[in-house]
Amino acid sequence: MTWELRTAVLGPSAYPAVGILQSAVPPSGRWRRRSRGIIGSVILSGSEHHQGAPGMEQHPRDGIPVGISACLMGEEVRYNGGHKRSRYCLQVLAECFRFEPFCPELEAGLGVPREPIRLVGRLGETPRARGTVTTERDVTDELEAVGRTFVDAHRHLRGFILMKGSPSCGLERVKVYHENGMPSHADSGVFVRTLRRHFPELPLEEEARMNDPVLRENFITRIYAMDDWKRHVEPSPSHHALLQFHSRQKFLLMAHEVEAYRELGRYLAEAHRVPVEDAMAHYLGRFMAALSRPATRKTHTNALMHVMGYLKQALDGETRRDLLAAVEEYRTEQVPLAVPMRLLNHYLRRHGSEYIRRQSYLDPHPYELGLRNAI
């Protein structure tokens, strides 16, 4: 049987994710090599979308709450009164997320415009945020206090998008200077360090780093996993809710870190012996840490093969060979992940058990974003 799988090279008006598919896919035709009668491309039809996992249920109309550096929203809050408006965040991700802008420097009372600050310190020490002109001015404590207050009031967030290079909001590779003004090394911004200390499970990413398709897909996957937790586990804590969450996240976890998949499975087997709050805190911390490691073609291939195991009794030999060929083409970088995933979803809808069809790994984020077309 031959299935027509439509190409991912679509016009910019086809999806809300304006423009990203143009950079996410190769020139037309590259992914159209036939394999046993199946065109190696990707179905993006809404009618073919898998809708089994609770994590992919309809969200509130105003979207998933995600924090963002205010300057990325176009707010003129930078030290010079400018902004760093992100078209990708505002024109693409705003279709899915409800952004909550925040500027720690403005909240700390530094004003606009203001004297720029920078990180100062020695290698191996925690750097301080100090003025570039009034070098004796140290605003580290103010920024840390703002960060703690922010965390207390924003536990509902599913992620935070940060401004690159900022001494407050930079995720990594923020320049740290010697006392004499010479560059020393790199670190994270003060606000980010506070988020990591008091809200370590919160997914963080810099807007600029989302130009990398692997990092982009990983970050948005983590946001939707956190949203699943916030909607289905946190409101009514119980060992049962925790087990149900793990049950539908198993293959996503496997694709990111096999050892975490095994470790958390063993932990949950005994989790009923500890208070549910402790079990949830331990599980979520380890789970989100595992998901922060981007999956690779090797780890995705391993997860795909495990998913295929749930179809081996239902499919004939030729169809199984077609699926194996698609997975192999993905492993050898001939096609994107969307190709074998689409084929698997097609057959799982018809032959898969409820357990396997509810796996978040099959559709961890909205298909309109086209994230798996580029990895």
Side-chain angles (χ1 to χ4, degrees), residues 152-153 167 242 249 267 306:
D152 290 341
L242 184 54
Q249 299 288 351
Y267 177 78
H306 277 80

PDB file of all heavy atoms in Angstrom, residues 152-153 167 242 249 267 306:
ATOM      1  N   ASP A 152       8.436  33.348  44.116  1.00  0.00           N
ATOM      2  CA  ASP A 152       7.324  33.141  45.039  1.00  0.00           C
ATOM      3  C   ASP A 152       5.975  33.432  44.376  1.00  0.00           C
ATOM      4  O   ASP A 152       4.969  32.790  44.688  1.00  0.00           O
ATOM      5  CB  ASP A 152       7.482  34.020  46.279  1.00  0.00           C
ATOM      6  CG  ASP A 152       8.633  33.577  47.171  1.00  0.00           C
ATOM      7  OD1 ASP A 152       9.059  32.414  47.030  1.00  0.00           O
ATOM      8  OD2 ASP A 152       9.114  34.393  47.985  1.00  0.00           O
ATOM      9  N   ALA A 153       5.963  34.404  43.459  1.00  0.00           N
ATOM     10  CA  ALA A 153       4.709  34.831  42.835  1.00  0.00           C
ATOM     11  C   ALA A 153       4.447  34.171  41.488  1.00  0.00           C
ATOM     12  O   ALA A 153       3.375  34.380  40.901  1.00  0.00           O
ATOM     13  CB  ALA A 153       4.717  36.351  42.666  1.00  0.00           C
ATOM     14  N   PRO A 167      23.605  40.698  32.057  1.00  0.00           N
ATOM     15  CA  PRO A 167      24.185  40.392  33.380  1.00  0.00           C
ATOM     16  C   PRO A 167      23.124  39.969  34.393  1.00  0.00           C
ATOM     17  O   PRO A 167      23.464  39.440  35.446  1.00  0.00           O
ATOM     18  CB  PRO A 167      24.856  41.704  33.785  1.00  0.00           C
ATOM     19  CG  PRO A 167      24.149  42.751  32.998  1.00  0.00           C
ATOM     20  CD  PRO A 167      23.769  42.110  31.702  1.00  0.00           C
ATOM     21  N   LEU A 242       1.040  10.634  40.195  1.00  0.00           N
ATOM     22  CA  LEU A 242       2.453  10.562  39.852  1.00  0.00           C
ATOM     23  C   LEU A 242       2.728   9.368  38.945  1.00  0.00           C
ATOM     24  O   LEU A 242       3.450   9.485  37.934  1.00  0.00           O
ATOM     25  CB  LEU A 242       3.281  10.466  41.130  1.00  0.00           C
ATOM     26  CG  LEU A 242       4.808  10.479  41.008  1.00  0.00           C
ATOM     27  CD1 LEU A 242       5.277  11.697  40.231  1.00  0.00           C
ATOM     28  CD2 LEU A 242       5.441  10.436  42.385  1.00  0.00           C
ATOM     29  N   GLN A 249       4.712   9.550  30.166  1.00  0.00           N
ATOM     30  CA  GLN A 249       5.957  10.243  29.806  1.00  0.00           C
ATOM     31  C   GLN A 249       7.128   9.279  29.602  1.00  0.00           C
ATOM     32  O   GLN A 249       8.245   9.721  29.334  1.00  0.00           O
ATOM     33  CB  GLN A 249       6.330  11.248  30.903  1.00  0.00           C
ATOM     34  CG  GLN A 249       5.314  12.346  31.148  1.00  0.00           C
ATOM     35  CD  GLN A 249       5.262  13.382  30.046  1.00  0.00           C
ATOM     36  OE1 GLN A 249       6.107  13.397  29.149  1.00  0.00           O
ATOM     37  NE2 GLN A 249       4.281  14.250  30.084  1.00  0.00           N
ATOM     38  N   TYR A 267      12.400   3.979  41.301  1.00  0.00           N
ATOM     39  CA  TYR A 267      12.016   4.839  42.422  1.00  0.00           C
ATOM     40  C   TYR A 267      10.511   4.775  42.662  1.00  0.00           C
ATOM     41  O   TYR A 267      10.056   4.660  43.814  1.00  0.00           O
ATOM     42  CB  TYR A 267      12.435   6.283  42.139  1.00  0.00           C
ATOM     43  CG  TYR A 267      12.011   7.248  43.213  1.00  0.00           C
ATOM     44  CD1 TYR A 267      12.713   7.343  44.406  1.00  0.00           C
ATOM     45  CD2 TYR A 267      10.889   8.051  43.037  1.00  0.00           C
ATOM     46  CE1 TYR A 267      12.314   8.213  45.404  1.00  0.00           C
ATOM     47  CE2 TYR A 267      10.479   8.929  44.027  1.00  0.00           C
ATOM     48  CZ  TYR A 267      11.198   9.004  45.216  1.00  0.00           C
ATOM     49  OH  TYR A 267      10.791   9.857  46.199  1.00  0.00           O
ATOM     50  N   HIS A 306      11.515   0.935  20.507  1.00  0.00           N
ATOM     51  CA  HIS A 306      10.685   0.434  21.605  1.00  0.00           C
ATOM     52  C   HIS A 306       9.196   0.656  21.312  1.00  0.00           C
ATOM     53  O   HIS A 306       8.366  -0.214  21.602  1.00  0.00           O
ATOM     54  CB  HIS A 306      11.067   1.115  22.915  1.00  0.00           C
ATOM     55  CG  HIS A 306      12.246   0.490  23.600  1.00  0.00           C
ATOM     56  ND1 HIS A 306      13.549   0.738  23.219  1.00  0.00           N
ATOM     57  CD2 HIS A 306      12.314  -0.392  24.635  1.00  0.00           C
ATOM     58  CE1 HIS A 306      14.364   0.048  24.000  1.00  0.00           C
ATOM     59  NE2 HIS A 306      13.651  -0.647  24.859  1.00  0.00           N
TER      60      HIS A 306
END
